């Protein structure tokens, strides 16, 4: 089996940014800036640009497909995707039409990461009950994979009207719109991705990435158990690249602190400190530093976990547009070629084939 | 005998997610005989347990309760009310759950519990001896921070509960899992161990943890 092609991308949640004097930009200006950032990403050789989905005052990523379509019109090569689409509270038919159309206008460059979402503001917003968290995602992923794989679809479920022998347009060319399942560490979610035979995207926003190795093994063994071929695995983590380690720390730290201070207040997390920031840089999940520092860390994590995709959630928080552009430039021109070089010397090892557990039932609902 | 200090090394875990499998792995590593359940039949979690906590036995929740006197409750907080009220009768029940509004939704009873969410759990399971513990350190610390008794740099985990014998049994478990155990006092003092509480989410030595939980005592 040949190693899967490497994909080194960027993720953004569309943070509201500030200008050079620290004043927040207007939402429309912020959205246009992100389009410009994606255009630069394309020109410096970054493989993909992926936009999140939130409905909060400080995130402008509520309609990723519209931004991605604008980017598609101004780029030629870069893949255009999400990070992640909260499928639980969307209509899979609408997600299909939006992204199959994006695939057409971008000449085959659309991709998706779908997940349950780690923030849950979309549930009340769209009239869903958080108590149905598991069931909603399961049902919607089922319908979405059917739309991707075997149209016409005859389907019925609990949360939307049934479909009978339904074609949904536009039809996708075979193999288009690769759809990954985003997980945050729940073993049940890993097994579900394997059950559908979909590639796995690990969202690792803190702590040592090596702790995900057992989940990688679980994913491979579950794929085997369900009789699916090996699938690629990716990881999403936060980072910032500058000329030197010190410059990267100086630029990113205040915005990281501000962002996680807010999360600490809202979610009861430990307060951010410089000590924690430096510990995350050294042994955890922050990719912050010079191109060499960041490339070395990305390559070693990709090798450790057997990843073929890495998405840098670049410039956490309100980092100004100009400094976002600078980090994109360095990531594309210096980090990515260096990661490829490092992995060419020591390629991502194939995960050893492991035994198939006889105990997995054919149709568990996890 | 039920849960006073004992040579018994049997542990039951209800919940086979991130937290349940992590505690199972640590307990297996400490020589415990571990039975673990997810929602529904045992075969639904067989592969997960085999990979993430090899040596633990995937069983039904009823079998977990039969297996041990010491049981960890590690289901998503918004689901604990699905379990029968008398399920844990006479057992020491370690409430390792945390209430996250972002994940569990708005739950006025949990959000407004003055004595913390474990008091609500105790009210739900009146015949169990609820101890709040294993909830305040990041789950991956269970893998990377376990140390033998007396080792330098060992970090601490607190336990809060009204039944002192149950707290003692949980503190013995904590020590055997590889952490210093700190008595946090009665169940409602467990509010300090929750998200937004004084000690949540960071690693402390036993001395630091005690100082944070008992500031008056340590400054005296």
């Amino acid at each position: 089996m040949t190693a899967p092609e490497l994909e080194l991308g960027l993720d953004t949640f569309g943070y509201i940014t500030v200008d050079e004097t620290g004043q927040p930009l207007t939402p429309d200006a912020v959205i246009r800036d992100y389009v410009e950032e994606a255009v630069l990403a394309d020109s410096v050789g970054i493989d993909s640009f992926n936009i999140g989905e939130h409905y909060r005052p400080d995130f402008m990523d509520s309609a990723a497909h519209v931004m991605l379509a604008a980017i598609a019109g101004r780029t030629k090569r870069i893949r255009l995707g999400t990070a992640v689409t909260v499928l639980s509270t969307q209509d899979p038919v609408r997600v299909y039409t939006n992204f199959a159309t994006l695939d057409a206008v971008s000449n085959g460059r659309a991709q998706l990461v779908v997940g349950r979402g780690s923030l849950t503001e979309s549930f009340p917003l769209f009239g869903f009950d958080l108590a149905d968290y598991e069931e909603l995602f399961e049902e919607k992923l089922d319908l979405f994979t059917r739309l991707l794989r075997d149209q016409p679809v005859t389907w019925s479920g609990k949360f939307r009207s049934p479909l009978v022998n339904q074609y949904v347009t536009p039809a996708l060319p075979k193999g288009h719109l690769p759809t990954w399942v985003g997980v945050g560490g729940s073993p049940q979610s890993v097994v579900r991705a394997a059950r559908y035979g979909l590639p796995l995207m690990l969202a690792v926003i803190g702590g040592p990435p090596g702790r995900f190795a057992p989940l990688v093994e679980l994913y491979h063994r579950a794929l085997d158990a369900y009789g699916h071929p090996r699938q690629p695995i990716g990881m999403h983590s936060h980072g910032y690249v500058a000329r030197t380690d010190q410059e990267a720390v100086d630029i990113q730290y205040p915005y990281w602190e501000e962002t996680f201070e807010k999360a600490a207040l809202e979610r009861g997390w430990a307060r951010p400190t410089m000590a924690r920031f430096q510990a995350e840089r050294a042994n955890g999940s922050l990719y912050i530093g010079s191109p060499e520092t960041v490339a070395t860390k990305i390559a070693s994590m990709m090798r450790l976990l057997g990843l073929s995709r890495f998405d840098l959630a670049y410039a956490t928080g309100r980092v100004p547009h100009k400094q976002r552009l600078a980090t994109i430039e360095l990531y594309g021109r210096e980090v990515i070629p260096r990661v490829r070089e490092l992995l060419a010397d020591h390629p991502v090892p194939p995960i050893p084939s492991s035994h198939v557990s006889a105990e997995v039932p054919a149709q568990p609902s996890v | 005998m039920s849960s006073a200090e004992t040579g018994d090394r049997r542990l039951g875990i209800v919940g086979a997610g991130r937290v349940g499998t992590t505690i199972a792995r640590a307990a297996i590593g400490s020589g415990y005989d571990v039975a673990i359940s997810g929602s529904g039949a045992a075969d639904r979690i067989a592969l997960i347990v085999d990979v993430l906590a090899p040596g633990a036995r995937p069983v039904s929740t009823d079998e977990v309760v039969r297996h041990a006197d010491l049981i960890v409750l590690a289901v998503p907080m918004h689901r604990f009310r699905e379990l029968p009220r008398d399920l844990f009768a006479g057992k020491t029940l370690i409430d390792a759950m945390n209430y996250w509004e972002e994940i569990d939704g708005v739950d006025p009873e949990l959000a407004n519990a003055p004595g913390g969410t474990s008091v609500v759990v105790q009210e739900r399971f009146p015949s169990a001896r609820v101890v709040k513990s294993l909830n305040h350190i990041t789950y991956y610390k269970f893998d990377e921070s376990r140390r033998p008794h007396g080792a330098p740099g060992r970090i601490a985990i607190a336990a809060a509960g009204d039944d002192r014998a149950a707290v003692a049994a949980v503190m013995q478990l904590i020590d055997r899992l590889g952490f210093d155990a700190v008595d946090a006092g009665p169940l409602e003092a467990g509010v300090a161990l929750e998200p937004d509480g004084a000690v949540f989410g960071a690693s402390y030595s036993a001395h630091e943890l005690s100082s944070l939980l008992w500031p008056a005592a340590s400054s005296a």
Side-chain angles (χ1 to χ4, degrees), chain A residues 80-354:
Chain A
L80 303 168
T82 60
V84 311
T85 294
V86 185
L87 194 58
S88 311
T89 52
Q90 294 221 36
D91 179 357
V93 174
R94 179 54 81 197
V95 174
Y96 177 87
T97 62
N98 284 341
F99 283 86
T101 301
L102 176 67
D103 191 68
V105 300
S106 67
N107 197 14
R109 291 185 281 142
Q111 61 185 16
L112 278 168
V113 180
V114 297
R116 302 183 303 182
S118 80
L119 300 176
T120 49
E121 70 270 4
S122 66
F123 284 76
L125 184 62
F126 293 108
F128 291 100
D129 187 346
L130 200 55
D132 299 322
Y133 189 70
E134 283 295 325
E135 225 181 330
L136 274 166
F137 187 65
E138 188 70 37
E139 173 171 320
K140 287 170 185 257
L141 186 59
D142 176 53
L143 175 54
F144 190 71
T145 53
R146 301 278 302 279
L147 291 165
L148 280 179
R149 290 167 177 172
D150 34 63
Q151 295 201 31
V153 171
T154 297
W155 180 93
S156 68
K158 190 170 152 186
F159 300 105
R160 59 147 294 143
S161 53
L163 300 177
V164 179
N165 221 18
Q166 182 75 50
Y167 285 98
V168 179
T169 56
L172 279 166
K174 197 167 169 50
H176 279 223
L177 194 56
T179 299
W180 301 57
V181 176
V183 305
S186 151
Q188 281 76 9
S189 293
V190 169
V191 171
R192 174 169 31 229
R195 181 153 43 89
Y196 284 96
L198 294 171
L200 185 71
M201 194 72 188
L202 306 166
V204 184
I205 56 168
R211 75 186 193 276
F212 282 77
L215 288 181
V216 168
E217 190 198 340
L218 175 63
Y219 176 64
H220 286 296
R221 284 188 46 191
L223 282 171
D224 287 348
Y226 291 113
H228 293 302
R230 289 299 162 99
Q231 298 292 326
I233 302 173
M235 183 164 74
H236 150 116
S237 292
H238 290 260
Y240 188 87
V241 193
R243 275 278 149 229
T244 65
D245 285 356
Q246 192 57 49
E247 187 189 347
V249 168
D250 290 345
I251 292 172
Q252 180 64 85
Y253 181 72
Y255 298 105
W256 179 87
E257 184 188 35
E258 176 183 67
T259 303
F260 282 85
E261 185 68 37
K262 203 154 176 264
L265 288 174
E266 286 175 5
R267 308 176 82 178
W269 290 356
R271 306 282 288 276
T273 60
M274 180 56 94
R276 211 180 111 213
F277 183 79
Q278 294 291 11
E280 285 287 351
R281 280 188 65 222
N283 305 307
S285 300
L286 283 177
Y287 297 73
I288 291 172
S290 68
E292 183 65 22
T293 297
V294 172
T296 305
K297 181 161 177 173
I298 292 172
S300 74
M301 291 309 154
M302 292 182 82
R303 207 178 295 132
L304 176 71
L305 294 171
L307 310 176
S308 61
R309 174 176 176 184
F310 180 86
D311 284 10
L312 184 75
Y314 67 102
T316 306
R318 305 197 298 165
V319 179
H321 178 52
K322 198 173 153 194
Q323 288 166 325
R324 291 175 180 275
L325 291 172
T327 216
I328 290 169
E329 180 114 23
L330 288 171
Y331 183 63
R333 292 197 194 280
E334 299 187 24
V335 175
I336 291 177
R338 182 70 178 132
V339 171
R340 291 186 185 285
E341 192 176 80
L342 288 166
L343 291 176
D345 292 347
H346 304 277
V348 175
I351 301 287
S353 183
S354 47

Side-chain angles (χ1 to χ4, degrees), chain A residues 56 119-120 130 184-185 187-188 191 207-208 211 214-215 217-218 221-222 264 267-270 355 357 359-361 364-365, chain B residues 16-18 21 43-48 50-52 78-79 100-105 139-140 144 195-196 200-202:
Chain A
R56 341 192 103 212
L119 300 176
T120 49
L130 200 55
Q188 281 76 9
V191 171
R211 75 186 193 276
L215 288 181
E217 190 198 340
L218 175 63
R221 284 188 46 191
R267 308 176 82 178
W269 290 356
H355 69 277
S357 168
E359 290 159 274
V360 178
S365 56
Chain B
R18 207 179 334 207
T21 53
D43 57 4
R44 284 168 50 169
I45 59 162
L47 178 62
I48 287 172
D50 191 26
V51 176
L52 300 183
H78 61 271
R79 301 195 64 175
W100 303 102
E101 186 185 311
E102 288 287 0
I103 291 165
D104 300 305
Y139 72 97
Y140 57 81
E144 63 174 37
D196 282 336
F200 187 83

